[in-house]
Amino acid sequence: MEFKHISVLLNECLEGLNIKKDGKYVDCTLGGAGHSSQIIKRLDKDGLLIGIDQDKDALKAASKRLEQYNNKILVHNNFYNIGEIIDSLNIGNVDGILMDLGVSSYQLDEGERGFSYMQDAPLDMRMNRDNEFSAYNVINEYSEEELFKIIKDYGEEKFAKRIANFIVERRSEGPINTTLELVDIIKSAIPAKARREGPHPAKRTFQAIRIEVNGELRILNKAIEDGVERLNKGGRMAIITFHSLEDRIVKLKFRDLANPCKCPKEFPICVCGKKPTVKLVSRKAIEPSKEEVTENPRSRSAKLRVIEKL
């Protein structure tokens, strides 16, 4: 299957990164190189694009899409290791870092990956298929309490308790192996009226399990800190989120970096000595236009936040 992915908030990202022709830019979530192909197009021979992805299918597709460019380095890794990756390349600091935290259309649409609740497949959901831990482990090995917490916290699913209970009851008869088996369990746990309203009844639970399998929220804070440390002065970091928990982490971390002072508000001056390392380029999250949402409904929940290194 061809690796297709419609780049979300593309123009807003390019504007946010404020690309310099001879700059060095890191795309932490390379995917099919939608954003990267536009970044590298704006670079001259002295510029450099570093693309990181933990999905080998994505790297293969991106390599093909970017084959005409020589000023690129593609890395099979998790952006959790962004600091080590940049350091290992001996290129000094960089001028821009982009993170697109969404799952690609390819991963959602290719049935065998197990990300989709619309197609039958083994319970997988691994972005890096070299990892052994998958959705099968979460569904069949986590306790009812652990499942409840994940589905509630990561999926913001109000029927999390019932879903966790139904999963545990069903697996007592034998392992749950496929996505559609899981969908049936989720549907049976959610009252009929609630199933008829809003998004697909399995959407939130599948999102929660995917986040758990890939450790998506755990890696964010460290990746942001390490990335900012390796930005040149005036360099920018742009992050696209698709989930309120992700956005909250990014928002709070950006705010903390921009205003690290811990002094009580009544203090007339700062005495803690903590200085800001970045400034917020936009105080509010940038959201897709109505036109973009119409053309690409998957962009609906996207939010872009941008900071600049001081």
Side-chain angles (χ1 to χ4, degrees):
M1 182 175 176
E2 187 182 351
F3 200 111
K4 287 184 178 177
H5 181 57
I6 302 171
S7 299
V8 173
L9 292 163
L10 177 59
N11 292 328
E12 292 85 348
C13 282
L14 296 171
E15 186 179 332
L17 287 171
N18 195 25
I19 296 167
K20 301 188 300 182
K21 286 185 177 181
D22 60 350
K24 291 171 284 192
Y25 294 88
V26 183
D27 187 344
C28 292
T29 44
L30 183 62
H35 289 103
S36 278
S37 62
Q38 295 302 313
I39 292 170
I40 202 167
K41 195 182 285 185
R42 288 159 172 76
L43 303 178
D44 61 23
K45 61 181 176 57
D46 296 317
L48 177 66
L49 171 78
I50 300 113
I52 304 168
D53 209 293
Q54 58 180 332
D55 187 329
K56 288 180 178 176
D57 289 345
L59 284 170
K60 187 177 177 182
S63 180
K64 186 176 179 183
R65 186 167 187 176
L66 302 174
E67 62 185 348
Q68 71 190 85
Y69 301 100
N70 296 317
N71 53 337
K72 66 180 186 295
I73 301 171
L74 306 187
V75 183
H76 178 233
N77 208 321
N78 189 310
F79 70 82
Y80 176 81
N81 302 311
I82 183 172
E84 293 90 333
I85 293 167
I86 292 173
D87 293 347
S88 70
L89 297 175
N90 295 314
I91 56 169
N93 283 353
V94 299
D95 300 290
I97 295 172
L98 172 66
M99 300 181 195
D100 176 354
L101 304 181
V103 181
S104 73
S105 300
Y106 167 84
Q107 289 167 329
L108 287 170
D109 294 339
E110 191 184 25
E112 70 177 51
R113 300 297 296 270
F115 288 102
S116 174
Y117 41 78
M118 304 298 287
Q119 302 179 62
D120 202 18
L123 280 172
D124 191 338
M125 302 195 198
R126 293 170 299 165
M127 290 184 181
N128 182 354
R129 291 201 269 192
D130 289 346
N131 293 340
E132 292 184 5
F133 184 75
S134 72
Y136 177 91
N137 301 98
V138 175
I139 293 302
N140 289 287
E141 296 168 12
Y142 277 30
S143 70
E144 185 173 335
E145 183 60 30
E146 287 171 324
L147 286 169
F148 162 65
K149 186 164 175 35
I150 288 163
I151 296 167
K152 177 177 174 287
D153 291 349
Y154 295 169
E156 298 179 306
E157 170 60 72
K158 66 178 177 179
F159 298 107
K161 199 162 191 64
R162 278 177 61 85
I163 293 169
N165 176 256
F166 275 50
I167 288 170
V168 171
E169 292 232 337
R170 166 61 184 78
R171 77 188 189 196
S172 67
E173 302 165 14
I176 300 165
N177 293 299
T178 70
T179 51
L180 290 191
E181 279 182 76
L182 180 58
V183 169
D184 285 342
I185 295 164
I186 294 165
K187 283 181 176 178
S188 65
I190 296 176
K193 185 174 184 294
R195 289 202 305 269
R196 290 193 294 269
E197 300 168 352
H200 190 287
K203 179 179 180 179
R204 295 185 183 93
T205 300
F206 268 61
Q207 171 184 277
I209 295 162
R210 188 204 82 219
I211 288 171
E212 175 66 13
V213 168
N214 296 289
E216 293 173 36
L217 298 182
R218 291 193 295 273
I219 70 176
L220 256 181
N221 276 318
K222 179 181 181 292
I224 292 171
E225 289 173 4
D226 290 353
V228 166
E229 197 175 313
R230 287 160 180 83
L231 279 174
N232 285 318
K233 183 178 179 180
R236 291 187 172 186
M237 176 181 283
I239 303 182
I240 306 171
T241 62
F242 291 82
H243 181 269
S244 60
L245 287 174
E246 289 173 338
D247 182 58
R248 197 175 307 140
I249 290 171
V250 174
K251 178 182 177 180
L252 293 176
K253 177 53 71 175
F254 278 10
R255 186 190 295 168
D256 188 50
L257 292 167
N259 184 21
C261 176
K262 303 301 181 192
C263 296
K265 289 182 180 177
E266 59 269 21
F267 278 28
I269 59 168
C270 171
V271 295
C272 72
K274 294 181 184 284
K275 303 292 183 189
T277 52
V278 306
K279 69 175 182 179
L280 303 176
V281 173
S282 173
R283 295 220 160 255
K284 290 183 68 177
I286 300 162
E287 299 183 6
S289 64
K290 289 179 182 177
E291 291 75 19
E292 179 169 3
V293 172
T294 301
E295 289 174 18
N296 179 19
R298 284 176 176 166
S299 71
R300 184 177 290 107
S301 58
K303 290 185 177 181
L304 170 66
R305 295 185 185 274
V306 185
I307 51 174
E308 182 177 305
K309 181 81 172 281
L310 295 173

